[in-house]
Amino acid sequence: MTSTITGTTRTALVTGGSRGIGAATALRLAREGVDVALTYVQDEAAAHEVVARIRSYGRRGIALRVDSADPEAVPAAVADAAQALGRLDILVNNAGIGVLGPIGTLTPADVDRVLAVNVRAVFLACRAAAGLMEHGGRIVSIGTALSRHAGGPGSTLYAMSKSALAGLTKPLARELGPRGITVNLVQPGPVDTDLNPADGPFASGQRAATALDRFGTTDEVASLVAYLAGEEAAYITGTEVVVDGGHAA
Ligand code: NDP
């Protein structure tokens, strides 16, 4: 199946698409007929494996090595993705890092690094994408349920950074709405990835905090992102959608 807006194959950029939620999202979009560019920073083998799977679905796929902490590289990646795929319809701001620990242990360098990747890169990618989305579009960012509910001590910096995405999403939705570009924020609870393994040292408390008593899967987040990125979600914008197994229940 080819996914189209006005009869043309849609294209997406997924940041941090080599592993975890980003990889699942890239693959889900490709299965729905979208051509996908993804970024990664370290794991080249994983990125190329995702690209191979995208191509196995008959879609175009490319991997770009881009450090989201680099303010020059982020908009360049958006432009490169649009050029390689011919247009840009969907931006998924997924790349993110967590530096956890009691506030007294977190350094100014930690703060700079987390804000650069989790906040500045998202702003710059949105800015670049907004300039390139000529036929309407979809912007979906990945926040965290921890910005809504304290997950316990140690998450101050991470939660603070992700909270900024709500402040970006709503006014940007207003700004880009007249051009048919929707902007939404997905707030996942615990999801089993390398970042937050379901068998990790902090897993049992996170699992118990959900109503479903389990971690989510990457596919369970990817399906929501793909929905928000699709044509059927055309009237959903400026909102936060929670996929957290009932953490908020
Ligand atoms: P993973 O650590 O499993 O994967 C992170 C991905 O982001 C990888 O593809 C990695 O690339 C890429 N990445 C990391 N840093 C950078 C960077 N500086 N520049 C470019 N790419 C980068 O994370 P998750 O899949 O768990 O998380 C994805 C998003 O979801 C993050 O924003 C995270 O905060 C958020 N989230 C995760 C939750 C969870 O429980 N897992 C819960 C709520 C939100 P590479 O392979 O090269 O290292």
Side-chain angles (χ1 to χ4, degrees), residues 16-22 39-43 66-69 94-97 113 117 142-144 158 162 188-191 193-196:
S18 48
R19 293 182 290 113
I21 293 168
T39 68
Y40 68 100
V41 66
Q42 270 183 321
D43 198 338
V66 177
D67 185 351
S68 289
N94 166 79
I97 56 172
R113 173 85 187 163
V117 174
I142 310 297
T144 173
Y158 178 67
K162 291 291 189 176
V191 179
T193 65
D194 296 339
L195 182 75
N196 188 15

Side-chain angles (χ1 to χ4, degrees), residues 40-246:
Y40 68 100
V41 66
Q42 270 183 321
D43 198 338
E44 186 167 6
H48 287 162
E49 192 179 319
V50 176
V51 166
R53 290 180 64 190
I54 290 169
R55 292 176 181 167
S56 76
Y57 298 136
R59 303 287 13 128
R60 288 183 295 168
I62 59 167
L64 304 166
R65 185 194 284 270
V66 177
D67 185 351
S68 289
D70 179 343
E72 309 290 331
V74 170
V78 176
D80 288 349
Q83 186 172 30
L85 300 177
R87 54 191 272 153
L88 185 67
D89 301 298
I90 300 162
L91 169 66
V92 181
N93 292 304
N94 166 79
I97 56 172
V99 178
L100 305 177
I103 195 165
T105 67
L106 299 172
T107 67
D110 292 331
V111 176
D112 286 349
R113 173 85 187 163
V114 169
L115 294 182
V117 174
N118 291 3
V119 183
R120 185 176 65 193
V122 176
F123 182 92
L124 294 176
C126 288
R127 193 179 71 162
L132 291 168
M133 287 176 168
E134 295 171 0
H135 316 276
R138 301 279 184 268
I139 297 175
V140 183
S141 302
I142 310 297
T144 173
L146 290 180
S147 67
R148 299 164 54 86
H149 305 281
S155 62
T156 51
L157 176 56
Y158 178 67
M160 179 180 78
S161 69
K162 291 291 189 176
S163 297
L165 302 184
L168 171 66
T169 297
K170 293 174 192 296
L172 192 60
R174 289 262 174 207
E175 200 169 308
L176 301 183
R179 292 172 48 199
I181 300 171
T182 66
V183 187
N184 290 295
L185 178 60
V186 167
Q187 306 276 42
V191 179
D192 184 19
T193 65
D194 296 339
L195 182 75
N196 188 15
D199 59 359
F202 308 108
S204 61
Q206 294 181 72
R207 184 179 299 113
T210 70
L212 296 175
D213 196 30
R214 68 172 177 85
F215 272 50
T217 68
T218 56
D219 285 341
E220 286 169 333
V221 180
S223 61
L224 173 59
V225 176
Y227 174 71
L228 292 171
E231 291 169 63
E232 287 182 321
Y235 202 54
I236 301 173
T237 195
T239 197
E240 300 174 31
V241 187
V242 177
V243 50
D244 71 352

